[in-house]
Amino acid sequence: MPRLDDDATGTRIKEQRRLARLTQRELADRLPYSYSLLNQVECGAKPANLDFVAAVARALHVDVTVLTGQPYVTELQQDRLAELVRPIREALDLYDLGIDDSIPDRPHAQLVAGADHLCAQVRATHLRNAARVLPATIAELTTAAWRTQSTELWQALASTYRTAHDIAVKLGYYDLSSVALDRMDWAAQRASDPCLAAIRQYMRAMGHFREGGNAIGLRLIAAGHGVVGATEQTREALAVTGQLHLGASVIAARAGDQTAVDAHIAEAEHCADQVGDASEIHWLSFGPTNVDLHRMSAAVEMRHYDDALEQAGQVCLPGSLATSRRAHFLIDRARSEMETGRTEAALGSIVEARQAAPEQTRYHPGARETIKGLGRVLEADHLAAVGDRGRLPAGSGDTHLRAPQSGLVDAKWMMVR
């Protein structure tokens, strides 16, 4: 099994910097980060957080995935997930082929329930189960929608395209996620559904957020507001509006705009006060709890880690919260704990995220970088404690370390097993 450190983001950053014919100092001058941090990331002394990676990718004019190594194909193949991607890609290409006469009719209620079930599976982080069923569901809904031209079925088809996007993002296939969002727009237009159209803009914005495209991300959020704001302010529209503000809050946080963060969180809170727990609306998990979680995420993005941990301690996660959101909260908390020197607490948060959502955590680049950072800290502490006799022969791998904290060191491998 390859060493995790041999496949590090820092190594890829160094390679891409050299291909761009830049020195470390020259690249650092293009970043909102210090030369010292860039040096430490490249040499493996510090993990590369996602905001840092996004900034480097923009400076080097490459996709974030070039630096993170996504999708993690070898591990996806080991988990038999890679083989599920091609059928999804093929199903997304059926959209304009009309009716497939080989597909029999089924009651519309069953088809709509099937689309909802897929959303529930993704929120429960059962990615494998959802990915297996998704292609056939898309094919069946595509034919049914063309047969009947039913608004309800176009909406359900848009929902399955949204599920394809969610799965693709969680597995690191961002090119596929973009195709899925284009199909979602195509179906939402046929359903004449402004809320679905606004959600699609929100998801596009989050895609640019991952790539460090803060300006275009905020423009997409504004476009989403324009679509949903032109409709009657129903509970559905208010929930979508609130989610758009939450998306804008983390984009503004990465841009370092505290005033905008506070304004968007306040608007989202106002929407949540009106709709309460609206987690059932378009599977957005919108409500007071999600506002609290985004307030914490914004603090993480602004690197206010002590503030993020204080907020994390005040968040009460209801049992009904989607597992995907719970895992994301734990990954954010782990990052903040690591950055503030709470090593064992950080590892505990990652282990808890892994137990709650194994597939999501395994393929989440932020969780992987946190694990790498924790592994380096714990290994360094161990080597300092045992001295030179504790050093291992080159290439022997660090899973043979045996010390009071060796179990913690070994745990960094949970992401690649």
Side-chain angles (χ1 to χ4, degrees), residues 198 201-202 204-205 208 215-225 244:
Q201 298 291 53
Y202 163 78
R204 287 178 69 196
H208 285 279
I216 191 170
L218 291 174
R219 287 183 63 191
L220 287 164
I221 292 289
H225 281 301
L244 286 165

Side-chain angles (χ1 to χ4, degrees), residues 77-210:
Q77 289 171 336
Q78 290 171 349
D79 291 343
R80 301 188 68 84
L81 281 165
E83 65 193 43
L84 302 177
V85 173
R86 182 171 178 178
I88 295 173
R89 196 181 296 277
E90 291 174 347
L92 291 175
D93 212 28
L94 301 175
Y95 72 106
D96 60 349
L97 298 183
I99 298 169
D100 182 345
D101 291 326
S102 69
I103 297 177
D105 282 325
R106 264 210 301 157
H108 291 186
Q110 290 183 16
L111 296 176
V112 173
D116 277 344
H117 180 67
L118 284 174
C119 283
Q121 289 276 290
V122 172
R123 298 305 167 278
T125 69
H126 299 155
L127 303 183
R128 185 192 314 274
N129 294 342
R132 282 194 181 119
V133 176
L134 179 61
T137 303
I138 290 175
E140 194 169 11
L141 273 167
T142 301
T143 282
W146 276 113
R147 274 180 178 146
T148 65
Q149 302 293 316
S150 159
T151 295
E152 183 183 38
L153 291 181
W154 287 122
Q155 289 171 326
L157 181 57
S159 176
T160 62
Y161 290 144
R162 181 259 189 92
T163 296
H165 162 268
D166 290 345
I167 291 172
V169 166
K170 291 182 187 303
L171 297 184
Y173 288 89
Y174 294 138
D175 63 328
L176 186 60
S177 73
S178 295
V179 174
L181 287 183
D182 286 344
R183 300 294 182 265
M184 183 180 176
D185 180 53
W186 177 83
Q189 287 182 25
R190 280 152 183 76
S192 299
D193 190 325
C195 285
L196 279 174
I199 292 169
R200 184 247 182 179
Q201 298 291 53
Y202 163 78
M203 291 177 171
R204 287 178 69 196
M206 292 299 98
H208 285 279
F209 167 72
R210 284 190 298 272

Side-chain angles (χ1 to χ4, degrees), residues 271-291:
C271 292
D273 288 342
Q274 295 179 74
V275 303
D277 180 4
S279 54
E280 82 285 358
I281 294 179
H282 293 293
W283 303 91
L284 291 172
S285 297
F286 183 73
T289 299
N290 211 14
V291 173

